[in-house]
Amino acid sequence: MRRSVLSNFCLLLAVSLIVLTGYGGASSAPSPVEIRVGLLFPLTGAFGFLGTEQHRGAKMALDMVNAKGGVLGTKIQMITADSKSDPQIAASETQRLIDQNQVPIILGSYASALSTSASTIAERNRVVFWEVGAVANELTQRGYKYFFRSVGNATTYAEADVDFLSRVVAPALKKPLQAIRVAVVHENGPFGTSVADSLVKLLDKQGIKPVSRESYPANATDLTSLVLKLKAARPDVVFLTPLVADALLFWQTAQDQDFNVPVLVGSAGISSPAFQERFGNRGVEGVFDVEPPSAAGLNPRGLDPSVAEALRSFLVTYAKEYNRAALIHAGLGFNGAWIVATDVLPRAVRASGGKLTPDVIRQAALATDINDKDSILGYGVKFAPNGDDERGKAFIMQWRNGNLVVVWPEALARMTPVVPMPTWDQRR
Amino acid sequence: MFVQTVLSGLVLGGVYALVAAGLSLIFGVMRLINFAHGQFLMLGMYMAYWLHVLFGWNVYATGLVVVPAMFALGWATQVLLIRPIRGSNPSAYLLTTFGLALALENLAAIAWTRDPRAVSLRYGRLVLGDIRLTTPGLVALLGSAVAIAALYAFLRYTRLGTAVRATAQNPISAELAGIDIKLINALTFAVGTALVGIAAVLLVPTYYVFPEVGHIFTIIAFLVTVLGGLGNVGGSLLAGLLIGVFEGISGTYISVELARAITFGIFIAILFLRPTGLFGQQARV
């Protein structure tokens, strides 16, 4: 009887001590919580060039936060995995990050095709998948609870396109909107198809029927047929939604075949530094792009001063370390990771009570509420129940003198748009 | 638009024909399907790429190194991999070359990653009204034609070439007539691979180079070889050009996405009507 009272008392004491130290919270010594973040990007393969940019941006954000002491005093442990531009490898690497490294959150993944397979694995394992760059609408139509994306979806691209078409292009070409000849060209994967579908739907609402709608496989080795068809259709505007290598191939073929069009609005590879490096300043002059704003090309005048300073610091550090400007993809990586590290994770750690689980992070993500002016890329973040960023927006950029600058809408624009683009003869 | 489509189709078709000629030759003489044919093309392309990027060589000048190197590679492959399994189970050849294909592709991916690489060349074009022919396109067209003509001349007018044809016709009689079959087999494989080396150099100016680039060329080479009649080098040329033009026309007039599928469909239809290909002969027993 005495023995059991003693052992009960000891047990009670031990449990109390554990409970009391566990509820230390922010006011106690630095939290013993471990913060592990997985980074899944295509560092090699067909998307390698832009996947690397996005990874660099994300890593830089996390490094910067760690340099200031980490999240509430705890450094973030980063584990990087290369999805090699292959959806199957993306899936297996996601599983590996979850099993071997026990990450509660994964930042990724650049491409819609990769995101689809990787986030499926994450959802199955109830791990948060924070998408920084892939925009296909279907990613948030699956009823997933652990999927979030800090970027506007494909519909935002279509909205920006149509807005630009009606407010800038039609007046500049001195044609009524319904008379504009529009061609919609896209790679036939989830990204290209999602953007093209959204675009055609919105154009239809304006009474515009495209004179040409073409899809092609992103790994096509020859696009001569495509360009010849477009030439025959004589469009005023081509909306091109490519991936990486095919974007360059398209432009090269357009040059070879002397395909001239007053306005080309591209995406993905068209906004890549490799595009400018391959064709030179004159070769890319005037080409438009629709995407979230380019970090180095946006006008920060509307941003909160501290946020503008963080952006400036990022741009300078990135340029110095990688010898090229941080454009769209590096900016998206940075923005997503920055929000996770400076907004979501602190909230999650405070609520976690010692163990950072995916569910705690998920709750913290749902509470995210950042305004446009408080966000580095000029568009805020607040998640709809399906994981889409309600405040996500796309912008129109233009290559001017080798720089990719935002030209529309005016809120973030650095320059006014120039329509039409130079012809190939004028580029020589 | 039609003329341009056909012209662009001919340029591509010429390269298809060149790749297929090598495959057809190898099959004709040794009754061997080389599954690694496309991967040899990939290696040739990487070789040309690196010589250009690392040492600044003119892309076409790299052929001076690439073609002999591919010749040697082909010879070595036949002697070290093919010859030792001669006489065993017929599927052994299939598996060996298939295994070689896998090995080469993955080794390339490890060595050079799967990033697609392109040489950035400034090149000119010929402009005739609405028609445009880029310089690399013209060179590819002429290069393929010359290479295939040279192959034909070799087979028809030289002693060695005649020995190759004799071996293709009947290996046993050829051996009895005093022809060194071992030498002829190695030579054939080497020549077939050298042709692929020429194709590689012609492709590099305008094509991306990456480990998987061999796949589609292997498949198309099979298609062209069968369409032209197995073992018929001249047939391969015509079949290659035909396939190239078909693909172009399907793409421009029907659908870019379905161009290849349509071409393959036409191939199936032709085989249905003529199982030995357009120019092939009945199988010899």
Side-chain angles (χ1 to χ4, degrees), chain B residues 161-178:
Chain B
T162 311
V164 171
R165 281 189 296 136
T167 314
Q169 225 174 50
N170 193 328
I172 296 175
S173 309
E175 200 161 12
L176 288 174

Side-chain angles (χ1 to χ4, degrees), chain B residues 269-284:
Chain B
I270 292 179
L271 275 192
F272 211 64
L273 298 168
R274 279 183 74 96
T276 52
L278 288 172
F279 313 107
Q281 296 139 323
Q282 293 294 340
R284 267 158 295 159

